[in-house]
Amino acid sequence: MTAHPSFLDIAPEVADALAAGRPVVALESTIITHGMPWPANLETARAVEAVVRAGGAVPATIAVIAGRIRVGLDDATLEALAQKSDVMKLSRADLPFAVAAGRDGATTVAATMICAAAAGIRVFATGGIGGVHRGVEETMDVSADLEELARTPVCVVCAGAKAILDLPRTLEALETRGVPVIGYRTDDLPAFWSRSSGLAAPLRLDDAAAIASLIAAKRDLSLDGGVLVANPVPEEAEIPRAEIDAHIATALAEARAERVSAKAVTPFLLGRLVALTHGRSLATNVALVKNNAALAAEIAGALAQR
Ligand code: PSU
Ligand code: MN
């Protein structure tokens, strides 16, 4: 664990649930500040928390506010965060900077995992993890999310890696790092906006209790790191691969032409896709995050039962 408990402000409702062994689901904040436009970002953040509650768990949205790591945000703080434009995007590398400098920052999958683990939260719902970027041979752009999954014991529920990435290499990197990648009720690795990437999911489980058993077994074996659950986007919200692939190619070409690099790459590509699909990719993103939150609540419930 990286974040020392003295840097954490755990919301009373979250602390109570953790103390009582009741289910809690961590939620990230980069998706709010850098992943979706206003006001869909705030509406989605609220809706996702409601889905977690409906699933019988307590939501804990994580962000850094004025240098304090907040685990569980009240609605006013959530709204203010969603409207601000100067919020840092925090991964493992940036988290201590934001804390030391008293800055506001939104946590990525990697940083949210660190803070969730420090708080004692074992399940986390997001949209899609970061991974190995296309063109990695030149850029060496590999998301810190992959290293975090290798070392921090949190179950991350996602809709696969984002299809803007090099998915075969992302899968290889996860395997090398010893991260179990589980297709939920599917043999195909989901590709965020689409239900299938055309790649096989390395493992498959069909219910939350079985996923909880795997998480428990991993801990009992003293194996470091997380578990990645890949939950396909609901059929009615899916964008067929042939359709999204063409837009991804366009967005990637634009990123190259504008020399977008480092932390700006993923937000740039997601933003361009919303424009290129006339908002359809955003609707899909909202639907898949809610779907992941529901499954995460179930998994957290199954873990709490054990
Ligand atoms: N899922 C979404 N939208 C997002 C993200 C995930 O639906 O914006 C964010 C997560 O915070 C993830 C980040 O960690 O994208 C990946 O950024 P990078 O590729 O720079 O590591
Ligand atoms: Mn990167």
Side-chain angles (χ1 to χ4, degrees):
M1 272 182 236
T2 297
H4 190 275
S6 69
F7 289 103
L8 293 178
D9 288 338
I10 303 181
E13 187 194 12
V14 175
D16 287 350
L18 289 169
R22 290 197 305 270
V24 175
V25 171
L27 300 166
E28 62 148 306
S29 44
T30 294
I31 187 170
I32 302 171
T33 56
H34 294 72
M36 290 185 186
W38 169 269
N41 61 346
L42 176 62
E43 289 158 15
T44 304
R46 285 177 173 154
V48 169
E49 290 202 351
V51 168
V52 171
R53 286 187 197 284
V58 173
T61 301
I62 295 178
V64 176
I65 307 291
R68 299 288 306 175
I69 297 175
R70 301 271 298 266
V71 179
L73 301 180
D74 57 82
D75 194 66
T77 306
L78 193 67
E79 180 166 353
L81 188 72
Q83 287 192 75
K84 273 188 193 148
S85 54
D86 57 344
V87 180
M88 292 181 74
K89 176 182 166 186
L90 307 178
S91 192
R92 171 175 277 267
D94 325 281
L95 189 60
F97 178 95
V99 167
R103 293 282 299 268
D104 292 336
T107 50
T108 61
V109 167
T112 304
M113 287 179 76
I114 292 168
C115 301
I121 302 172
R122 297 164 70 191
V123 183
F124 159 29
T126 182
I129 60 159
V132 179
H133 281 266
R134 300 189 201 179
V136 64
E137 307 91 315
E138 281 161 35
T139 62
M140 278 184 69
D141 191 348
V142 178
S143 175
D145 293 352
L146 300 183
E147 297 297 333
E148 211 56 54
L149 282 160
R151 65 204 288 181
T152 302
V154 173
C155 172
V156 179
V157 182
C158 68
K162 297 186 200 78
I164 52 176
L165 299 166
D166 184 327
L167 294 179
R169 284 189 166 108
T170 298
L171 259 192
E172 291 294 344
L174 286 163
E175 182 182 298
T176 301
R177 287 161 178 77
V179 180
V181 178
I182 299 154
Y184 178 70
R185 296 185 178 170
T186 179
D187 294 316
D188 300 310
L189 183 77
F192 200 70
W193 298 283
S194 321
R195 289 175 60 82
S196 172
S197 62
L199 301 167
L203 305 166
R204 171 180 175 148
L205 290 172
D206 288 354
D207 61 84
I211 296 169
S213 296
L214 182 143
I215 294 167
K218 191 161 192 256
R219 189 177 56 175
D220 291 347
L221 291 165
S222 301
L223 295 172
D224 291 337
V227 167
L228 189 65
V229 176
N231 183 27
V233 61
E235 229 163 289
E236 62 277 11
E238 167 177 52
I239 305 180
R241 269 188 62 210
E243 210 179 316
I244 196 74
D245 278 354
H247 294 305
I248 289 172
T250 305
L252 285 166
E254 290 176 357
R256 227 169 299 128
E258 296 182 33
R259 300 195 193 291
V260 180
S261 67
K263 293 185 344 177
V265 173
T266 297
F268 175 89
L269 293 173
L270 291 177
R272 287 305 298 143
L273 282 168
V274 173
L276 290 165
T277 62
H278 306 288
R280 197 158 157 223
S281 72
L282 178 59
T284 301
N285 200 346
V286 172
L288 65 85
V289 182
K290 287 194 209 167
N291 190 47
N292 295 340
L295 177 57
E298 262 194 80
I299 296 168
L303 271 176
Q305 294 267 306
R306 294 182 63 90

